[in-house]
């Protein structure tokens, strides 16, 4: 099938009115100006369809324009966390082989073209025509850490992104009247696709914040309508005075990316009168389930399958099993990893999430744990294996096991349990690990032990370790 239009850009622009504000606040920008900026950047990219554009820049409106510029030019956006170290970034560049790498520090990278966002903006030209792209063409690759320690690039098509945004816009009743507080990073599904795509598609406005700040969110709430955040947003906001008053006119608070404690759900309701709407998603699948907009939002559950998304549990009815997903929201496989794709994405379209869940008689899904060894800290995923490899490579370390310990602020925090070969200090080990690991992956604490508890197969018993360290979870 040949396309005459750019599937995702067309879907995102369907409801836009050029004079409406897209970005509100101190530096407002209309929809017309926003998309014109994206078109100018698209011209400056000078890529051919299917080329990868790696973007590793701080959060900004221009970063959002670069995302859409890449889509308009028929390219594939690869957003990277600016907190990654050089060695982490090199892995992504080698794997994604981009035609353009957009970074504030363009010198010394093994890529054909590295440039700054400012240089691209300066080279922009008006009159760019969107490159036709069909639903199955790729719009983005988002890297997600793997249990083996090697990050996998989830390939996301125009179809997956456009269909999920459309589903969520309707499910959560987003319209041009909405003002969404955007305080999430823009290199992950949550901030880049869920928040941005829904707002664009609805023709809504965004109160755009460079990063999360309790004060700025409280300031923005009286003139905003919706907030999307990870549970840490809500636990931190609950500590602030003036929350109830600020939240009065908001219509919707959405939480996702990590488990929201039932106690946070309850406390939020008690303090503000609003019931947080919790949803469940994944880089590979976009959003899968959501508590209903109208109807009961059940604390501790991630709600019902979204329209067009099939969810099932690989276990007898009512029991705990691996959550499987099928639908237009799904990714198209892992970049350069056909074997890994075949292991997790079946030919009949079902994807095995690795999350453990249980569905009640009314169809509400509860996530009861993870079949994968994964830590979620403040909504960021960290695979222990990657941290263990870095720890084990340090000269003083004989072996290590990395676990997530409960944390009131971040949900979980990274702790390394280490058996030493030679004497050193906790801070020396954390500093050394930090040279190769982004800060959020670095252990916040190190515990020294004489030996790691292992089962008869030689596998480290992490539950046992957690118990020994005084953490039941
Ligand atoms: C920051 N730090 C963290 C951290 N965030 N450490 C562990 N875990 C985290 N999540 C570290 C920083 O490196 C820094 O260390 C110190 O904490 C303070 O930094 P900060 O920048 O001031 O942090 P803060 O603003 O407090 O950040 C907390 C946060 C942020 C919760 C606002 O982590 C955040 O925005 N999280 C959202 C993540 C997200 O978007 N996830 C969606 C993934 S998509 P130092 O040593 O330098 O002081 C997905 C699918 C789905 O999961 O379903 O949505
Ligand atoms: P990521 O790989 O970064 O896309 O993170 C996806 C993972 O986050 C999922 O596989 C879940 O383990 C977790 N997750 C997302 N939303 C929720 C939620 N509402 N409750 C619990 N876990 C969640």
């Amino acid at each position: 099938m040949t396309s005459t239009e750019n599937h995702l850009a067309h879907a995102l622009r369907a409801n836009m009115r050029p004079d409406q504000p897209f970005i509100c606040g101190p530096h407002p920008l209309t929809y017309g100006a926003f998309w014109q900026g994206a078109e100018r950047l698209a011209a400056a990219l000078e890529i051919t369809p299917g080329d990868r554009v790696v973007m590793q820049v701080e959060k900004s409106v221009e970063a959002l324009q670069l995302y859409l510029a890449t889509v308009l030019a028929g390219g594939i956006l690869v957003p990277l966390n600016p907190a990654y170290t050089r060695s982490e970034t090199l892995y992504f560049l080698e794997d994604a082989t981009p035609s353009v790498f957009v970074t504030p520090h363009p010198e010394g990278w093994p890529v054909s073209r590295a440039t700054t966002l400012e240089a691209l903006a300066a080279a922009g030209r008006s009159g760019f025509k969107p490159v036709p792209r069909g639903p199955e063409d790729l719009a983005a690759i988002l890297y997600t850490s793997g249990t083996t320690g090697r990050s996998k690039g989830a390939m996301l098509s125009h179809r997956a992104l456009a269909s999920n945004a459309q589903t969520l816009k309707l499910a959560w009743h987003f319209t041009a009247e909405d003002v969404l507080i955007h305080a999430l990073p823009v290199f992950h599904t949550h901030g880049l696709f869920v928040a941005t795509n829904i707002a664009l598609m609805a023709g809504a406005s965004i109160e755009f914040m460079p990063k999360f700040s309790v004060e700025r969110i409280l300031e923005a709430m009286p003139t905003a309508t919706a907030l999307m955040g990870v549970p840490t947003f809500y636990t931190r906001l609950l500590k602030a005075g003036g929350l109830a008053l600020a939240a009065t006119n908001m219509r919707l608070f959405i939480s996702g990316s990590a488990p929201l404690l039932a106690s946070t759900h309850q406390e939020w309701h008690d303090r503000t009168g609003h019931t947080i709407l919790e949803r469940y998603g994944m880089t590979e699948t976009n959003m899968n389930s959501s508590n209903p907009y109208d109807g009961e939002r059940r604390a501790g559950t991630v709600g019902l399958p979204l329209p067009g998304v099939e969810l099932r549990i690989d276990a007898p009815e009512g029991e705990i099993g691996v959550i499987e997903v099928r639908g237009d929201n799904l990714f198209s496989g892992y970049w350069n990893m056909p074997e890994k794709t075949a292991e997790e994405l079946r030919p009949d379209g079902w994807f095995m999430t690795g999350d453990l869940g249980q569905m009640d008689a009314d169809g509400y899904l509860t996530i009861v744990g993870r079949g994968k060894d994964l830590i979620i800290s403040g909504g960021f995923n960290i695979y222990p294996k990657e941290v263990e490899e870095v720890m084990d490579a340090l000269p003083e370390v004989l072996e290590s096991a990395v676990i997530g310990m409960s944390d009131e602020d971040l949900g979980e925090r990274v702790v390394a349990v280490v058996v030493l070969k030679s004497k050193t200090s906790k801070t020396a080990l954390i500093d050394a690990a930090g040279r190769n690991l982004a800060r959020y992956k670095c252990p916040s604490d190190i515990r020294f032990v004489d030996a790691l508890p292992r089962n008869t197969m030689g596998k480290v018993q992490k539950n046992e370790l957690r118990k020994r360290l005084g953490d039941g979870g």
Side-chain angles (χ1 to χ4, degrees), residues 311-317 319-325 346 350-353 355-358:
L311 279 179
R312 72 181 185 196
I313 308 281
D314 184 20
E317 210 175 314
E319 289 184 22
I320 295 171
V322 173
I323 303 169
E324 300 185 353
V325 194
R346 296 212 197 93
W350 286 97
F351 171 67
M352 284 160 282
T353 62
D355 290 314
L356 299 176
Q358 195 170 23

Side-chain angles (χ1 to χ4, degrees), residues 144 257-259 278-283 302 355 367 372 376 381:
T144 160
S257 306
E278 186 173 5
R279 62 38 171 201
Y280 159 58
M282 231 182 137
T283 302
V302 291
D355 290 314
I367 298 177
K372 48 197 176 189
I376 306 185
N381 286 11

Side-chain angles (χ1 to χ4, degrees), residues 223-453:
T223 52
T225 63
L227 172 70
M228 287 180 196
V230 297
T232 303
F233 281 24
Y234 293 100
T235 51
R236 288 190 185 176
L237 284 164
L238 275 170
K239 294 206 172 79
L243 171 65
L245 188 63
T248 312
N249 293 321
M250 292 279 287
R251 81 171 174 87
L252 186 58
F253 292 95
I254 302 174
S255 176
S257 306
L260 181 79
L261 293 179
S263 53
T264 309
H265 192 272
Q266 187 60 47
E267 203 184 334
W268 191 269
H269 185 263
D270 294 345
R271 285 271 299 281
T272 67
H274 290 283
T275 312
I276 297 176
L277 183 154
E278 186 173 5
R279 62 38 171 201
Y280 159 58
M282 231 182 137
T283 302
E284 288 91 334
T285 64
N286 295 288
M287 299 304 104
N288 297 317
S289 74
S290 168
N291 272 279
Y293 187 82
D294 298 310
E296 191 192 350
R297 299 180 194 165
R298 279 192 201 166
T301 82
V302 291
L304 309 159
L306 281 160
V309 179
E310 290 177 88
L311 279 179
R312 72 181 185 196
I313 308 281
D314 184 20
E317 210 175 314
E319 289 184 22
I320 295 171
V322 173
I323 303 169
E324 300 185 353
V325 194
R326 182 162 74 172
D328 275 349
N329 53 316
L330 255 56
F331 73 138
S332 313
Y334 294 113
W335 176 254
N336 283 341
M337 290 187 180
E339 293 86 12
K340 197 80 207 153
T341 304
E343 273 170 35
E344 295 181 21
L345 185 60
R346 296 212 197 93
D348 60 3
W350 286 97
F351 171 67
M352 284 160 282
T353 62
D355 290 314
L356 299 176
Q358 195 170 23
M359 210 175 263
D360 71 15
D362 301 331
Y364 281 76
L365 178 67
T366 301
I367 298 177
V368 292
R370 297 171 204 136
K372 48 197 176 189
D373 191 13
L374 162 71
I375 300 169
I376 306 185
S377 181
F380 283 127
N381 286 11
I382 300 134
Y383 276 87
K385 178 83 179 158
E386 186 185 353
V387 184
E388 286 160 5
E389 279 175 4
V390 170
M391 299 302 300
D392 292 350
L394 299 176
E396 302 86 358
V397 174
L398 181 65
E399 58 173 352
S400 67
V402 168
I403 55 176
M405 301 271 286
S406 308
D407 183 86
E408 210 196 314
D409 182 43
L410 296 169
E412 288 181 291
R413 66 197 171 93
V414 180
V415 174
V417 186
V418 170
V419 182
L420 284 180
K421 254 195 297 217
S422 57
K423 206 164 175 304
T424 182
S425 68
K426 290 182 183 187
T427 42
L429 285 182
I430 293 173
D431 287 352
R435 283 194 270 282
N436 287 310
L437 288 172
R439 199 83 200 112
Y440 71 92
K441 296 182 199 167
C442 251
S444 62
D445 192 13
I446 308 251
R447 306 289 178 92
F448 295 120
V449 294
D450 293 332
L452 296 173

Side-chain angles (χ1 to χ4, degrees), residues 146-190:
T147 41
T148 57
R150 246 189 105 202
S151 288
K152 304 167 288 186
M155 301 190 285
L156 297 160
S157 66
H158 281 238
R159 175 251 312 148
L161 298 181
S163 75
N164 208 236
Q166 174 69 11
T167 301
L168 296 173
K169 183 192 87 162
L170 295 175
W172 296 341
H173 295 204
F174 271 87
T175 70
E177 303 303 311
D178 273 301
V179 178
L180 173 68
I181 300 176
H182 193 311
L184 289 157
V186 292
F187 41 80
H188 281 310
T189 297
H190 199 163

